[in-house]
Amino acid sequence: MNDSRDKLKAAIVVNAIIVALEVWAVCSGVTRLGPSVCFTFYTECSNLFAGVACAVCAVADLRELRGGAPCGRAVRWLKYSAACCLLMTLFVVVFVLIPMLHSVGVQGMYLMLIDGVKPITHLGAPLLVAGSYIVFEADRGMSLRQSLVGFVPTLVYAAVAYPCNILRVWNGPYPFFQVWNMPVWMSVLWFVALFFLAFGLCQIPRLLARRYGRGHGEPA
């Protein structure tokens, strides 16, 4: 019983820390870019989503600590989706955006991982949210089909970003969305590659949860 309560307290603290970091990071982005530009970035949207998800988890855990019911499927899946989105951010930064800046060398890593609030939005938050989901909220019984819930926010973002670029409402904000600056086949290839990357990343927290999940998962 004490171990369970201690774990709940730890979950509340970790989620609260993440919320505080995300509020600071997102507010910094809005101040620097303005809301109309800031939220065209997947990074900003995913970090805002993660802040909301962690706030919901903290409230649910606090209620459970006070004798209420454990956090339900919807709360856990919300945190799972946020973890998947932030893992997408991390992987795109490390394996796509930084290599695209190879001409500036180490400066590219600085710009993507160290400058401003990027230690939080590009690195710290993805690791903290994914790690805390696996330790505190993970559903050991989540099936492959159920894991699609983590893919939905990315699909929604793509469903907005691509038409906005085709209609020239947005310019990017990422190079692979700039459909007017590349052949059609390359845009299709980028879409397919990002589609499979997003789906694959949804499996990382799902599979790690089978070993490290909190132990009250639902059947597949």
Side-chain angles (χ1 to χ4, degrees):
M1 178 65 72
N2 287 335
D3 287 345
S4 178
R5 290 183 63 83
D6 288 344
K7 196 168 186 178
L8 277 174
K9 291 176 182 177
I12 293 167
V13 170
V14 172
N15 280 309
I17 290 171
I18 295 172
V19 170
L21 291 173
E22 294 291 24
V23 168
W24 176 45
V26 172
C27 287
S28 296
V30 170
T31 300
R32 181 169 54 90
L33 300 172
S36 61
V37 174
C38 180
F39 293 113
T40 64
F41 286 88
Y42 182 88
T43 294
E44 303 298 336
C45 293
S46 61
N47 276 273
L48 176 62
F49 180 36
V52 172
C54 289
V56 171
C57 284
V59 171
D61 288 335
L62 185 60
R63 183 182 63 186
E64 181 180 351
L65 187 65
R66 292 177 173 177
C71 67
R73 173 191 289 179
V75 173
R76 286 181 278 126
W77 283 10
L78 186 69
K79 180 73 172 282
Y80 168 74
S81 296
C84 293
C85 290
L86 287 179
L87 286 175
M88 183 70 172
T89 290
L90 174 61
F91 271 69
V92 169
V93 166
V94 172
F95 296 107
V96 178
L97 299 181
I98 289 179
M100 283 182 170
L101 295 172
H102 65 89
S103 60
V104 296
V106 176
Q107 182 68 10
M109 294 185 65
Y110 172 82
L111 290 173
M112 289 290 104
L113 295 176
I114 300 174
D115 186 42
V117 296
K118 289 172 185 173
I120 296 173
T121 57
H122 285 177
L123 184 61
L127 296 177
L128 276 174
V129 174
S132 64
Y133 163 76
I134 292 164
V135 173
F136 299 122
E137 291 98 18
D139 173 7
R140 288 186 177 183
M142 180 177 281
S143 68
L144 181 64
R145 184 181 64 182
Q146 289 170 335
S147 72
L148 291 175
V149 71
F151 181 61
V152 170
T154 299
L155 194 61
V156 170
Y157 177 83
V160 174
Y162 272 105
C164 283
N165 273 272
I166 292 170
L167 297 173
R168 298 181 185 266
V169 177
W170 292 4
N171 181 25
Y174 302 103
F176 41 79
F177 284 146
Q178 295 173 337
V179 296
W180 295 105
N181 295 333
M182 65 181 78
V184 174
W185 67 266
M186 188 175 292
S187 291
V188 173
L189 187 62
W190 270 115
F191 177 82
V192 172
L194 293 169
F195 180 95
F196 281 103
L197 175 62
F199 179 75
L201 291 175
C202 288
Q203 308 316 311
I204 293 177
R206 181 181 76 88
L207 294 175
L208 287 176
R210 293 189 175 185
R211 181 174 180 86
Y212 302 107
R214 63 181 289 179
H216 60 262
E218 302 140 1

